[in-house]
Amino acid sequence: MVETLVAGEADGDALDSATAEMIAAARGLGGNVDVALFGSGLDQPAAEAIAVGADKVWLVEHDLLDTGGTDAQVAALEQVCKQIEPEVVFLGRSALGRDVGPRVAFRLDAGLAQDCIEVTLDAGTGKVIVRRPVYGGNAVATATFGEDGPQFVIMRAKVYEPLEPDQSREGDIVRLSVDIEPSMIRVRHVETVEAAGEGVRLEDAAVVVSGGRGLGGPEPFAQLGELADLLGGAVGASRAACDAGWVDYSHQVGLTGKTIAPNVYITVGISGASQHMAGCSGAKNIVAVNRDREANMFKEASYGVVGDWEKILPAFIETVRELVKS
Ligand SMILES: Cc1cc2nc3c(=O)[nH]c(=O)nc-3n(C[C@H](O)[C@H](O)[C@H](O)COP(=O)(O)OP(=O)(O)OC[C@H]3O[C@@H](n4cnc5c(N)ncnc54)[C@H](O)[C@@H]3O)c2cc1C
């Protein structure tokens, strides 16, 4: 059993889904699970955190946490860790995990493992064992931590299922004020620009329709969008399609893009490189359209059509339209 702290995040008024996933991963280690939420007005996400498995939620408050960006979060998380002394600290692969986590781990002389997809406990040493993709997703490494300091685990999203919310679960919500001096804020937050997003978020979509280099240009993405709309889903892309400028990087699925776990993942003109599959291996069903019957995507797909997308896609969209109408 280890005492864990999940450095949590809110998504508007709700608990961020990646935080709920980390709480589930932390519960699997057997000990108490504390969650820290940084900033003001987070009572609702705190209640949700308890419903999905947290034992105690620390509402970490300071005016500068609302305006001071990651410098303020670094100061706050360091103080929370010193006060609670967790053995394991979980963070998501957001700015918190990529920027704040490593800086706090350095200050605490702690070890840190990025991009973890599995966390278990070594009963012998009491240390956690993590598994993480390496070499561009071509291999998975198993790692553990040294003797001293808390163990910082940065979790990839969509690899753990959040626990079913139980509104009757009881837990403590504790307010904690931290000491942050304005002189600690060296990066000035100028503006937050919301990514222009329409419809369902790629990471949360039950159906994702993705296109790759095989589409040959940006225009076919309009057809993928049409299909995604009919299915109530979202549009994704391979990195090759994003690099070509056919579609914005916010649509990229893969190792250096988004991790998705939809019920249905339809890929059109995507070869299935390991770096792409690293972002969609959690998909329940993959449907592949590719003219190369040897394409790796067919090895991963539950359903596949070998052929030219220009012939297949319009007929497929028409059939789905008829089915949706009826
Ligand atoms: C460190 C690193 C990180 C990376 N991160 C990512 C990542 O996050 N996401 C990602 O996607 N990639 C990533 N990549 C790139 C990855 O290795 C591949 O290069 C990329 O996924 C290929 O994209 P693609 O499948 O669209 O293109 P290709 O590999 O060129 O495949 C195109 C496919 O389209 C098919 N095709 C062509 N014409 C047609 C047609 N008319 N009809 C039907 N099918 C057709 C072809 O048979 C082929 O299989 C990364 C690479 C590195 C080194």
Side-chain angles (χ1 to χ4, degrees), residues 252-265:
Q252 185 184 319
V253 172
L255 186 68
T256 44
K258 295 200 166 135
T259 305
I260 58 170
N263 291 333
V264 180
Y265 186 41

Side-chain angles (χ1 to χ4, degrees), residues 16 22 51 76 103 128 132 137 139 149 178 232 267 275 278 282 291 298 308:
D16 179 55
M22 287 189 285
R103 290 164 66 190
V128 294
R132 47 186 301 267
V178 284
T267 69
Q275 296 89 356
R291 70 178 178 193
F298 286 125
D308 192 329

Side-chain angles (χ1 to χ4, degrees), residues 1-4 23 26-34 53 55 87 121:
M1 284 202 338
V2 286
E3 302 300 309
T4 59
I23 294 171
R27 281 246 73 94
L29 301 181
N32 282 335
V33 178
D34 286 15
D55 297 305
E87 293 165 88
L121 190 64

Side-chain angles (χ1 to χ4, degrees), residues 12-248:
D13 291 337
L15 188 71
D16 179 55
S17 55
T19 302
E21 293 162 22
M22 287 189 285
I23 294 171
R27 281 246 73 94
L29 301 181
N32 282 335
V33 178
D34 286 15
V35 173
L37 293 169
F38 302 89
S40 54
L42 297 172
D43 295 75
Q44 177 59 28
E48 290 177 23
I50 288 172
V52 294
D55 297 305
K56 186 184 274 188
V57 180
W58 300 86
L59 290 176
V60 187
E61 297 176 338
H62 192 288
D63 289 349
L64 283 172
L65 283 169
D66 295 327
T67 57
T70 52
D71 284 339
Q73 291 171 331
V74 168
L77 181 59
E78 182 185 3
Q79 288 173 44
V80 172
C81 286
K82 283 184 172 158
Q83 174 151 345
I84 305 175
E85 297 187 340
E87 293 165 88
V88 184
V89 181
F90 280 91
L91 299 101
R93 277 177 89 210
S94 58
L96 214 54
R98 293 177 202 252
D99 182 354
V100 175
R103 290 164 66 190
V104 177
F106 176 77
R107 289 175 181 209
L108 299 176
D109 204 14
L112 180 143
Q114 278 284 358
D115 198 16
C116 300
I117 57 172
E118 192 184 315
V119 188
T120 50
L121 190 64
D122 181 335
T125 63
K127 297 284 171 191
V128 294
I129 299 172
V130 296
R131 283 166 54 78
R132 47 186 301 267
V134 291
Y135 299 120
N138 285 304
V140 177
T142 302
T144 190
F145 292 82
E147 286 302 307
D148 299 324
Q151 306 154 74
F152 277 65
V153 176
I154 315 297
M155 284 300 297
R156 182 182 284 206
K158 304 288 175 202
V159 288
Y160 279 83
E161 282 281 331
L163 302 177
E164 204 52 47
D166 174 359
Q167 307 306 339
S168 66
R169 258 193 109 252
E170 291 188 358
D172 298 328
I173 298 181
V174 183
R175 286 177 202 280
L176 178 72
S177 63
V178 284
D179 192 14
I180 307 174
E181 294 296 322
S183 60
M184 294 172 175
I185 312 299
R186 280 165 292 178
V187 176
R188 197 164 56 90
H189 179 207
V190 181
E191 190 187 5
T192 301
V193 181
E194 288 276 334
E198 289 165 18
V200 55
R201 264 186 7 141
L202 180 57
E203 301 93 312
D204 300 329
V207 179
V208 174
V209 185
S210 274
R213 193 179 351 235
L215 291 180
E219 298 79 13
F221 275 91
Q223 291 181 53
L224 299 193
E226 208 182 328
L227 181 57
D229 283 349
L230 283 169
L231 296 169
V235 172
S238 72
R239 177 158 152 182
C242 297
D243 283 347
W246 301 342
V247 61
D248 188 77

